[in-house]
Amino acid sequence: MFTSQKGVVRAVDGVSFSIEKGETLSLVGESGCGKTTTGKAVLRLIEPTAGNIWLGGVNVTVLGPKELRRKRKDMQIIFQDPFSSLNPRMTVARIIGEALSIHGLAKVENKEDKVVEIMEMVGLGPEHLHRYPHEFSGGQRQRIGIARALAVNPALIIADEPISALDVSIQAQIINLLEGLQRKLGITYLFISHNLNVVAHISHHVAVMYLGKIIEIAPAPILYQDPLHPYTLALFSAVPVPDPSLKRQEIILEGEVPSPINPPPGCSFNPRCSYRKPECMTQEPPLQEIKPGHYVACISKEN
């Protein structure tokens, strides 16, 4: 039958973290590890099946439709693709001004002035007000997406790979823009990315995900100087070093990422780990504080 259940996929399992106001926590890991799902679950764009999400002292997971709608102005998202995330039939004025109208944040006669003010914050001008998304470059479109998120003055912004579709020179401009907005407005970011060099630059803390779980989390400088989990070591070893005189030994992982439908017993990383012990194949390691502020889920690092 079409309705029979063949298996259960835990896209995100037991993930727990906190972000201080005005700081950036980055999620890194291979494609399919659950980074985007985590971000969408925080916003309740995907409904979590268990657990709690707290934002500013409010448990977001228990809010009803009306309360959640009001709370949405405190949490926004910047999508990965700056073209498909913008309505091609709406002008910039409508795209940014829509949120102001929904949440009643500007009077009709003042809305355009407010939209222009927000546009100027992201490096766009009044001359762009009545243009459509296809008339902009990729970097400009992403600035529009950022302006749309800023329109409701959110406390938290989920940045879901906001620079991956942009040229390298434009990536730097967008990262500098996000950092400047954070300093000016005190915004908190959950930053999702594959670019570990960018993550090192923008992050206060970094969490490494593997197969739906956080396996290591620490302040960014500590994690980059002293990664402990074998998967984190392999991930960082693949980062290019912009100095031909420096040699880095890349760690090649064995095998493939296990199926999330049928994860291995014990530590989910054990089939690919060169440090595995017999207990790694039977015991699931908890996320434990190995050093001050540095948490790792690895049996070999517990002592």
Side-chain angles (χ1 to χ4, degrees):
M1 294 178 63
F2 290 109
T3 56
S4 62
Q5 182 174 296
K6 300 299 183 182
V8 176
V9 175
R10 297 183 182 273
V12 175
D13 187 14
V15 168
S16 180
F17 57 82
S18 61
I19 316 174
E20 296 295 326
K21 182 180 179 181
E23 292 193 350
T24 299
L25 170 69
S26 291
L27 289 179
V28 301
E30 292 173 289
S31 295
C33 69
K35 302 185 301 296
T36 295
T37 301
T38 299
K40 290 183 176 180
V42 169
L43 298 178
R44 282 187 59 184
L45 295 178
I46 295 175
E47 289 291 345
T49 54
N52 295 291
I53 301 159
W54 293 85
L55 178 62
V58 176
N59 188 350
V60 178
T61 49
V62 300
L63 297 180
K66 291 183 179 179
E67 294 83 3
L68 180 61
R69 186 183 181 91
R70 287 194 292 267
K71 191 63 178 175
R72 285 210 183 277
K73 69 181 181 63
D74 294 329
M75 47 185 188
Q76 292 292 303
I77 186 169
I78 302 168
F79 293 98
Q80 179 178 356
D81 187 343
F83 190 78
S84 63
S85 62
L86 302 177
N87 190 330
R89 298 181 180 181
M90 294 173 65
T91 63
V92 174
R94 287 187 62 197
I95 290 171
I96 300 173
E98 186 177 39
L100 297 174
S101 300
I102 290 172
H103 293 283
L105 299 177
K107 296 180 180 179
V108 175
E109 60 271 19
N110 298 327
K111 188 169 76 171
E112 187 167 299
D113 292 337
K114 180 65 176 177
V115 170
V116 170
E117 178 185 338
I118 297 167
M119 290 173 63
E120 290 176 342
M121 289 174 62
V122 300
L124 299 173
E127 67 275 13
H128 300 125
L129 200 61
H130 300 294
R131 296 183 186 177
Y132 291 86
H134 72 271
E135 300 180 79
F136 295 90
S137 66
Q140 288 175 318
R141 287 197 291 265
Q142 196 59 291
R143 289 174 187 270
I144 297 169
I146 295 171
R148 177 176 59 185
L150 289 175
V152 291
N153 193 27
L156 171 69
I157 290 181
I158 311 292
D160 185 10
E161 301 195 44
I163 61 169
S164 63
L166 306 177
D167 293 337
V168 174
S169 60
I170 306 301
Q171 289 181 6
Q173 295 177 22
I174 297 299
I175 290 299
N176 290 335
L177 172 62
L178 291 173
E179 288 186 311
L181 292 169
Q182 186 175 59
R183 288 192 296 268
K184 181 179 180 180
L185 304 174
I187 302 170
T188 302
Y189 293 131
L190 177 59
F191 190 85
I192 299 168
S193 180
H194 287 101
N195 191 324
L196 296 177
N197 286 323
V198 169
V199 166
H201 176 75
I202 197 174
S203 308
H204 295 88
H205 290 77
V206 178
V208 182
M209 293 191 69
Y210 184 79
L211 212 64
K213 302 176 185 289
I214 290 179
I215 58 168
E216 187 165 6
I217 185 168
I222 294 176
L223 187 68
Y224 276 78
Q225 291 169 12
D226 187 25
L228 296 179
H229 197 284
Y231 175 69
T232 310
L233 289 167
L235 204 63
F236 285 8
S237 75
V239 178
V241 179
D243 186 344
S245 65
L246 294 177
K247 301 297 181 182
R248 174 182 288 179
Q249 183 177 358
E250 184 175 352
I251 301 172
I252 306 298
L253 294 176
E254 304 171 357
E256 300 291 334
V257 179
S259 169
I261 297 178
N262 186 28
C267 174
S268 59
F269 186 63
N270 84 74
R272 308 175 73 192
C273 183
S274 58
Y275 300 94
R276 63 179 174 266
K277 300 177 179 179
E279 55 265 38
C280 295
M281 292 177 274
T282 58
Q283 301 176 26
E284 182 177 345
L287 193 66
Q288 296 189 80
E289 189 173 24
I290 305 298
K291 298 178 180 179
H294 195 160
Y295 295 81
V296 184
C298 182
I299 292 174
S300 65
K301 300 297 182 180
E302 289 180 1
N303 300 317

